[in-house]
């Protein structure tokens, strides 16, 4: 079962001022075409911008019309316009790929969401502790209450960074993409591996890599094995772990041969004494 992931569609402030949107609105039923275009973007948001033809109905147009509740004629006109203005293209299997969707998608895995929330909670807790320390810096002498600046100075000194000694290595914060530390470390090794091979992964591409990994397995152990397999084979993408039946069969054959040799030696030869 794949790990849970959240997606959202990001529209620029000037979305309706873009030339392609303006051109679509000049067509017959232009506003309906733009609305259907937005529906198609949302439909393909978690399939890498592809609307797959399932071969249930004679054409993809009819399948989209049935799925969206729009008229087949409107669907056909919308797809034709999107292809004409280079916003979409048909693939070999008659599926439709929306070309602008990649830059309009925001996504986050459930594990990344948990890590982000955990960091926010830790930051809030630290701010509360600092506020409490400042409040406790008040001392009472007789009937007079004075604010003790010394306590605040001591607290501020603790918060200041200690001067780095000459030759002391600088400690960098390790990025966290997964809650599981072993999996996170292996994923960082994968990113470093891609960088060393001249195929560095940045920005949104990292999210797509995490999404692909979680689509193959939601087990941290299996995900680590998948990453190891990719690095060891010099690949760039993730694939299911190959079965090792042949290897196990060969190993079993070796064990059988060893047992046979032991049997011969214990009986004094092939024919015995």
């Amino acid at each position: 079962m794949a790990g849970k992931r959240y997606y959202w569609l990001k529209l620029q402030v000037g979305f309706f001022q873009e030339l392609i949107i303006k051109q679509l609105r000049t067509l017959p039923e232009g506003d309906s075409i733009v609305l259907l275009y937005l529906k198609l973007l949302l439909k393909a948001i978690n399939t890498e911008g592809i609307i797959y033809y399932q071969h249930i109905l004679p054409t993809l147009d009819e399948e989209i019309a049935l799925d969206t509740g729009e008229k087949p004629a409107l669907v056909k006109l919308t797809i034709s316009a999107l292809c004409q203005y280079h916003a979409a293209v048909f693939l070999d299997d008659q599926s439709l790929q929306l070309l602008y969707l990649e830059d309009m998608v925001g996504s986050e895995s459930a594990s990344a969401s948990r890590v982000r929330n955990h960091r926010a909670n830790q930051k809030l807790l630290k701010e509360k502790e600092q506020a409490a320390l400042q409040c406790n810096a008040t001392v009472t002498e007789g009937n007079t209450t004075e604010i003790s600046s010394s306590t605040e100075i001591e607290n501020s000194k603790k918060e200041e960074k200690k001067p780095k000694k000459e030759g002391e290595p600088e400690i960098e914060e390790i990025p966290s993409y997964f809650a599981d530390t072993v999996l996170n470390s292996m994923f960082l090794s994968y990113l470093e591996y891609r960088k060393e091979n001249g195929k560095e992964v940045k920005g949104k591409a990292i999210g797509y890599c995490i999404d692909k990994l979680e689509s193959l397995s939601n087990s941290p152990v299996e995900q680590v094995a998948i990453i190891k397999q990719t690095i060891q084979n010099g690949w760039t993408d993730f694939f299911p772990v190959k079965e090792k039946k042949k290897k196990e069969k060969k190993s079993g054959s070796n064990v059988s041969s060893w047992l046979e040799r032991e049997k011969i030696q214990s009986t004094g030869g092939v024919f015995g004494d």
Side-chain angles (χ1 to χ4, degrees):
M1 183 177 178
K4 190 173 183 180
R5 192 169 187 85
Y6 305 100
Y7 294 89
W8 56 89
L9 185 65
K10 300 184 298 183
L11 296 182
Q12 298 291 339
V13 175
F15 174 77
F16 288 99
Q17 300 303 317
E18 294 179 4
L19 290 179
I20 183 173
I21 301 302
K22 287 184 175 181
Q23 180 61 27
L24 289 174
R25 296 187 69 187
T26 63
L27 300 175
E29 298 187 77
D31 290 341
S32 297
I33 290 175
V34 173
L35 178 59
L36 178 56
Y37 178 42
L38 290 173
K39 285 185 177 181
L40 296 179
L41 291 172
L42 289 173
K43 179 177 175 60
I45 199 170
N46 61 345
T47 56
E48 299 182 350
I50 299 175
I51 300 178
Y52 289 98
Y53 178 37
Q54 302 180 41
H55 299 274
I56 296 175
L57 297 178
T59 64
L60 177 63
D61 299 349
E62 295 178 71
E63 289 187 355
I64 293 176
L66 179 63
D67 184 48
T68 60
E70 301 290 349
K71 298 178 181 178
L74 177 64
V75 174
K76 187 173 183 179
L77 177 60
T78 301
I79 293 177
S80 176
L82 292 176
C83 291
Q84 181 181 349
Y85 302 137
H86 309 291
V89 62
F90 277 103
L91 303 178
D92 293 339
D93 62 350
Q94 300 181 41
S95 296
L96 185 72
Q97 183 172 17
L98 304 177
L99 302 179
Y100 295 150
L101 183 59
E102 181 178 356
D103 296 328
M104 302 169 67
V105 175
S107 67
E108 183 179 58
S109 66
S111 59
S113 177
R114 288 193 298 270
V115 171
R116 178 172 51 79
N117 292 333
H118 175 70
R119 287 180 174 176
N121 291 335
Q122 291 296 317
K123 182 179 179 181
L124 180 62
L125 182 61
K126 185 176 181 180
E127 291 175 352
K128 288 182 178 180
E129 289 176 350
Q130 291 177 349
L133 288 173
Q134 292 177 357
C135 291
N136 291 335
T138 304
V139 295
T140 304
E141 295 181 358
N143 296 327
T144 305
T145 303
E146 297 180 353
I147 304 293
S148 175
S149 61
S150 61
T151 305
E152 294 180 358
I153 293 173
E154 289 177 2
N155 290 336
S156 63
K157 285 182 179 179
K158 291 179 181 179
E159 293 170 6
E160 289 178 0
K161 290 185 177 180
K162 296 181 179 179
K164 191 178 74 170
K165 298 179 181 179
E166 187 175 352
E168 182 180 349
E170 198 172 306
I171 300 176
E172 298 182 359
E173 183 180 355
I174 300 176
S176 179
Y177 299 102
F178 297 92
D180 186 275
T181 54
V182 176
L183 174 57
N184 189 68
S185 177
M186 181 56 65
F187 187 72
L188 291 175
S189 299
Y190 166 73
L191 296 180
E192 185 64 24
Y193 153 76
R194 288 287 299 267
K195 183 178 180 180
E196 291 175 354
N197 285 272
K199 298 180 180 179
E200 185 175 1
V201 183
K202 295 181 179 179
K204 294 180 182 178
I206 294 179
Y208 290 131
C209 288
I210 294 175
D211 188 26
K212 178 63 178 295
L213 183 61
E214 292 185 338
S215 70
L216 295 175
S217 174
N218 65 342
S219 167
V221 176
E222 292 182 4
Q223 290 171 342
V224 168
I226 291 172
I227 297 175
K228 283 184 177 179
Q229 174 183 251
T230 295
I231 296 175
Q232 290 172 354
N233 287 281
W235 300 336
T236 56
D237 203 355
F238 297 133
F239 300 96
V241 177
K242 292 184 177 180
E243 296 182 0
K244 300 181 179 180
K245 291 183 179 179
K246 293 183 178 179
K247 190 173 181 180
E248 291 173 359
K249 183 177 180 181
K250 183 178 180 182
S251 176
S253 177
N254 292 337
V255 172
S256 298
S257 299
W258 179 82
L259 290 174
E260 186 64 27
R261 289 197 301 271
E262 287 295 312
K263 182 177 179 182
I264 292 171
Q265 291 175 4
S266 64
T267 56
V270 177
F271 300 102
D273 293 334

